[in-house]
Amino acid sequence: MAREEKLLQTLQKITNILNQDLPQLASIIGPKSIQLEITNLCNLRCIMCDRWKWDTHLQGDLTKEDLFSLFDELASLNTQHILFSGGEPLLRPDFKELVQYLNQKGIAITLITNGTLLTEDIATLLIKSDATIIFSVDGSNDAIYSQIRGREGLLTKIIENIKNVGKIKKSEKKGFISMHFVIQPFNLEDVFSFFELAKTLSVDAVSYGIIHGPHIPEKGVGFKDEHLPHLKKTISELIKLQKNKNDIQIELRPELYAIAEGQITSDALKSGLLVTELFKKDPVPCLTVIYWALIDAFGDVYPCCYAYFDNLDYESAKNLRNRLCFGNIHQSSFQEIWYGQKFNSFRKMMNPVQIENYPKVCGNCGSYFFFKEKWDRVIHFREKLKYIYENIESNLVSIRNALLNCFASPIDRAPRPYESEMAQVIRKIFDF
């Protein structure tokens, strides 16, 4: 009888998890991963981005002391991962000290960089820290690279830097190196040449996304009717290539699969709002808000990078960002902001989805397809859970495996922080 009661209690715990709203899940999982923009400064002039135009020298970045204090707090909240972004993070003269401090705290590091400023000593420190380094490149030759990035003659240096960090990684047997490519009209013919280049550079993966956002068309960098047949064919071929046995991983954003399957319309591709119409018809809760936040170089806290609008001029971006800013770490602790009324009100709006209040910027986000798949699995499992009670002990292993499958990550990439955390919770529940 005691065994049966224990099993019933286990199922009740599972039911409670699946029935909780997102603020409660956020309190269980906590801020596992933080995107931290450590500077607004950038040494490139990318055509799709206005960040470099901002008058940042009047604003200032978070100081080293500010960041050390934040790292202390995040460690106390069991944050497991920090993603350094910007601007260009390596423009900070104290970058090595930030990495060393995070190493002391046992927090994993990812760096997104344009690769122009990566010195051997910084590369060695990052690889010895078992960090992930993502090189944002977007072109395999200098003509394409210069057209997109607004600087000439840099690609050779970037390639040399990637080669060097690859040698260090091979020696240390640590770290992870990826090259990222945003598909856009200017580099559409370069998609597969970029992959061939990456294979020569000892990287672990090459990742592909697609240019999008509501302001892309007016900047003249979005897709037009004449691009779309070739775009769709290229994405379909890229998906086929991913299925082959390759020397390096190919990671694709979920919206690329949706384009190949015809879920994203031509009008959506041209407008830059990839999922707006799909979201209106079938809204899906965004699970990012239970484990992730972005902190910018001024100390403001946002739900994600899509709330930052860095493809606009500073004043326009600031007005839009203010609507999705939940606080500033100069005025409140991050813990107070994470569990605070503003952030939790935003989470409540996600589930059940209050479509009339949903931020329009969410219509840009290809993660819709990722979370839709997860949420559909959870709903399906929840609907069947009541039938499992009838034969509880014989079905216990099936229950555990089915629930783990709800939060499983695709085989072509590492688990997201919340996926790993939910798996740990589930395994703990089943540990009799």
Side-chain angles (χ1 to χ4, degrees):
M1 187 65 179
R3 171 73 171 174
E4 183 178 329
E5 288 179 355
K6 191 83 177 247
L7 294 174
L8 286 169
Q9 290 172 7
T10 295
L11 279 186
Q12 188 58 53
K13 289 178 183 177
I14 296 168
T15 304
N16 289 342
I17 286 177
L18 294 180
N19 287 335
Q20 286 183 97
D21 60 21
L22 296 190
Q24 289 174 312
L25 282 174
S27 69
I28 293 172
I29 294 178
K32 293 304 173 191
S33 195
I34 299 295
Q35 181 174 349
L36 185 56
E37 299 198 329
I38 53 176
T39 183
N40 282 311
L41 300 175
C42 189
N43 59 332
L44 299 185
R45 300 293 181 260
C46 300
I47 56 175
M48 61 284 196
C49 180
D50 276 359
R51 178 73 70 92
W52 55 272
K53 299 177 184 176
W54 293 2
D55 194 11
T56 50
H57 67 279
L58 298 177
Q59 303 295 328
D61 295 331
L62 292 168
T63 67
K64 179 175 67 176
E65 291 70 29
D66 292 333
L67 291 169
F68 283 0
S69 178
L70 176 64
F71 296 161
D72 290 341
E73 184 180 10
L74 292 176
S76 72
L77 294 171
N78 197 30
T79 296
Q80 299 173 358
H81 169 253
I82 284 181
L83 167 65
F84 283 132
S85 62
E88 170 49 49
L90 295 182
L91 282 168
R92 282 195 69 119
D94 56 6
F95 181 79
K96 287 199 296 184
E97 295 177 77
L98 302 183
V99 173
Q100 290 164 344
Y101 201 87
L102 283 177
N103 286 344
Q104 295 172 19
K105 297 295 177 182
I107 297 176
I109 297 167
T110 294
L111 168 67
I112 297 179
T113 176
N114 59 40
T116 59
L117 303 173
L118 186 64
T119 60
E120 184 173 352
D121 57 336
I122 291 177
T124 301
L125 174 62
L126 287 167
I127 293 300
K128 287 186 174 181
S129 303
D130 203 18
T132 295
I133 306 174
I134 301 172
F135 292 91
S136 182
V137 185
D138 294 345
S140 70
N141 64 68
D142 195 63
I144 292 175
Y145 180 87
S146 301
Q147 183 179 14
I148 294 173
R149 296 293 180 159
R151 296 287 199 213
E152 295 182 357
L154 289 177
L155 186 60
T156 301
K157 175 62 175 174
I158 294 166
I159 290 173
E160 190 63 33
N161 288 344
I162 297 173
K163 284 181 179 178
N164 288 339
V165 74
K167 292 176 183 177
I168 297 168
K169 176 184 172 295
K170 186 175 181 180
S171 172
E172 296 292 334
K173 296 180 173 57
K174 285 183 175 182
F176 189 90
I177 308 170
S178 176
M179 291 173 63
H180 187 60
F181 185 99
V182 178
I183 301 172
Q184 48 198 291
F186 307 107
N187 62 11
L188 186 53
E189 300 289 343
D190 197 39
V191 168
F192 299 104
S193 297
F194 186 81
F195 176 67
E196 294 301 320
L197 171 64
K199 288 197 301 184
T200 69
L201 299 179
S202 301
V203 302
D204 299 286
V206 57
S207 60
Y208 291 90
I210 188 166
I211 195 165
H212 58 280
H215 307 287
I216 293 301
E218 65 190 55
K219 287 180 173 292
V221 295
F223 290 102
K224 298 178 181 178
D225 285 317
E226 59 265 30
H227 301 126
L228 299 185
H230 186 42
L231 171 66
K232 294 172 183 178
K233 181 182 178 183
T234 298
I235 292 173
S236 295
E237 291 175 354
L238 195 55
I239 292 171
K240 290 179 184 177
L241 180 62
Q242 184 191 41
K243 294 177 181 177
N244 295 341
K245 186 176 181 181
N246 299 299
D247 295 333
I248 59 177
Q249 298 176 32
I250 299 177
E251 300 174 347
L252 306 179
R253 285 281 301 170
E255 57 266 34
L256 296 183
Y257 300 105
I259 292 169
E261 294 165 5
Q263 296 182 60
I264 295 178
T265 66
S266 296
D267 287 342
L269 281 168
K270 290 184 293 182
S271 71
L273 296 172
L274 299 183
V275 300
T276 297
E277 293 305 315
L278 286 169
F279 190 87
K280 288 178 181 177
K281 295 175 184 176
D282 187 11
V284 175
C286 179
L287 299 179
T288 302
V289 295
I290 66 177
Y291 70 94
W292 180 282
L294 179 145
I295 304 173
D296 74 5
F298 308 136
D300 290 328
V301 178
Y302 301 90
C304 69
C305 60
Y306 281 91
Y308 205 65
F309 303 101
D310 57 2
N311 56 354
L312 294 175
D313 65 90
Y314 178 72
E315 287 303 323
S316 298
K318 183 178 179 182
N319 291 335
L320 289 169
R321 290 201 316 271
N322 286 343
R323 304 175 195 175
L324 293 171
C325 178
F326 301 137
N328 185 285
I329 61 172
H330 291 301
Q331 280 99 43
S332 305
S333 69
F334 178 78
Q335 181 172 356
E336 289 171 332
I337 297 169
W338 178 262
Y339 295 108
Q341 184 269 331
K342 283 187 176 181
F343 214 149
N344 275 337
S345 294
F346 187 78
R347 293 182 181 114
K348 288 178 181 177
M349 183 182 67
M350 298 280 176
N351 185 36
V353 173
Q354 299 172 24
I355 191 68
E356 67 279 2
N357 296 322
Y358 225 73
K360 290 182 180 179
V361 69
C362 296
N364 306 344
C365 183
S367 293
Y368 167 87
F369 302 100
F370 175 76
F371 288 123
K372 178 169 172 38
E373 178 191 9
K374 302 295 180 188
W375 206 252
D376 286 349
R377 290 182 188 178
V378 170
I379 291 172
H380 180 70
F381 181 80
R382 189 161 54 190
E383 289 173 350
K384 288 194 170 183
L385 188 60
K386 59 184 178 182
Y387 299 108
I388 302 175
Y389 279 94
E390 296 174 4
N391 197 8
I392 183 170
E393 188 159 6
S394 63
N395 281 309
L396 189 59
V397 174
S398 297
I399 296 168
R400 181 196 61 192
N401 292 341
L403 189 55
L404 284 170
N405 186 54
C406 290
F407 294 94
S409 59
I411 60 173
D412 63 330
R413 62 156 177 76
R416 298 279 189 263
Y418 87 93
E419 291 170 344
S420 300
E421 185 70 12
M422 287 302 292
Q424 290 174 20
V425 170
I426 293 162
R427 290 192 178 96
K428 187 174 182 180
I429 287 172
F430 281 93
D431 182 14
F432 296 114

